[in-house]
Amino acid sequence: MCDVIQVTMREKILALHCLLLLKCYLVYAKETMVQEKADATTPLTTLSPPEGNTTFLGGTTWCVAHSGASQIDLQNALDWACGLGTADCSAIQKDGACYEPDNLVSHASYAFNNYYQQNGNSDIACNFGGTATVTNNDPSYGKCFYSTSGSIDSSAPPSHKYRLSTIWLKLAGTLLLLYLRS
């Protein structure tokens, strides 16, 4: 009898958590739409060169993984870059232009660089918990081209706007798994 009551209570708590997450998502989405509307009517001031952008200071730079970083740290940083960091990791997916060589350092380097280029080439955008470093050597190879600050299409809408619901679903799923494991 107690097990049935415990499961029912657990289900109620889980439902409340899901409703809370959904409410947070809806509030965030509404705030984002209001901000985007305000941004569309506000003229943009461009700094020249952008603060923290080393492309203008010492030539073109890329962000790559440290080959000596631990596999666990690299994997965690790669997961973050392709997830919450909203880096475009499509090229390192199976059959992508940068999938081969299929190793963690190569995939992490591509993702780190994509994030770095999207976020102003600043040193802080190439940290990833100490698993990455800035280089002046172009890491591109074969058909795999690493982006530079000028090669990212700034007229395209930021990809995070379209992946926001996916991020919330992943977060909700992670919280659900953590809850169920406890």
Side-chain angles (χ1 to χ4, degrees), residues 109-146:
S109 291
Y110 185 86
F112 293 174
N113 185 66
N114 188 273
Y115 178 85
Y116 172 72
Q117 300 301 338
Q118 288 181 25
N119 290 281
N121 304 67
S122 65
D123 289 340
I124 199 161
C126 185
N127 187 323
F128 298 97
T131 63
T133 187
V134 174
T135 183
N136 293 322
N137 299 322
D138 185 352
S140 300
Y141 56 92
K143 293 182 180 179
C144 179
F145 298 101
Y146 280 57

Side-chain angles (χ1 to χ4, degrees), residues 114-179:
N114 188 273
Y115 178 85
Y116 172 72
Q117 300 301 338
Q118 288 181 25
N119 290 281
N121 304 67
S122 65
D123 289 340
I124 199 161
C126 185
N127 187 323
F128 298 97
T131 63
T133 187
V134 174
T135 183
N136 293 322
N137 299 322
D138 185 352
S140 300
Y141 56 92
K143 293 182 180 179
C144 179
F145 298 101
Y146 280 57
S147 60
T148 59
S149 61
S151 68
I152 294 179
D153 184 4
S154 60
S155 66
S159 60
H160 69 276
K161 291 181 184 177
Y162 301 104
R163 289 197 269 177
L164 185 60
S165 60
T166 305
I167 292 168
W168 277 99
L169 287 173
K170 286 180 182 177
L171 178 62
T174 302
L175 291 173
L176 176 63
L177 287 173
L178 290 173
Y179 176 77

Side-chain angles (χ1 to χ4, degrees), residues 57-76:
L57 301 175
T60 303
T61 56
W62 294 267
C63 178
V64 295
H66 279 296
S67 58
S70 81
Q71 296 287 302
I72 292 171
D73 291 342
L74 272 178
Q75 186 64 59
N76 288 335

Side-chain angles (χ1 to χ4, degrees), residues 8-24 175-176 179:
T8 304
M9 182 62 83
R10 183 179 229 182
E11 289 172 348
K12 287 180 183 178
I13 292 171
L14 181 60
L16 287 173
H17 283 276
C18 290
L19 288 173
L20 180 61
L21 280 173
L22 181 60
K23 183 175 180 171
C24 289
L175 291 173
L176 176 63
Y179 176 77

Side-chain angles (χ1 to χ4, degrees), residues 34-46:
V34 169
Q35 183 61 43
E36 287 174 0
K37 196 179 259 187
D39 289 346
T41 60
T42 306
L44 296 176
T45 304
T46 305

Side-chain angles (χ1 to χ4, degrees), residues 73-91:
D73 291 342
L74 272 178
Q75 186 64 59
N76 288 335
L78 173 61
D79 291 344
W80 184 89
C82 293
L84 294 176
T86 69
D88 180 2
C89 296
S90 57

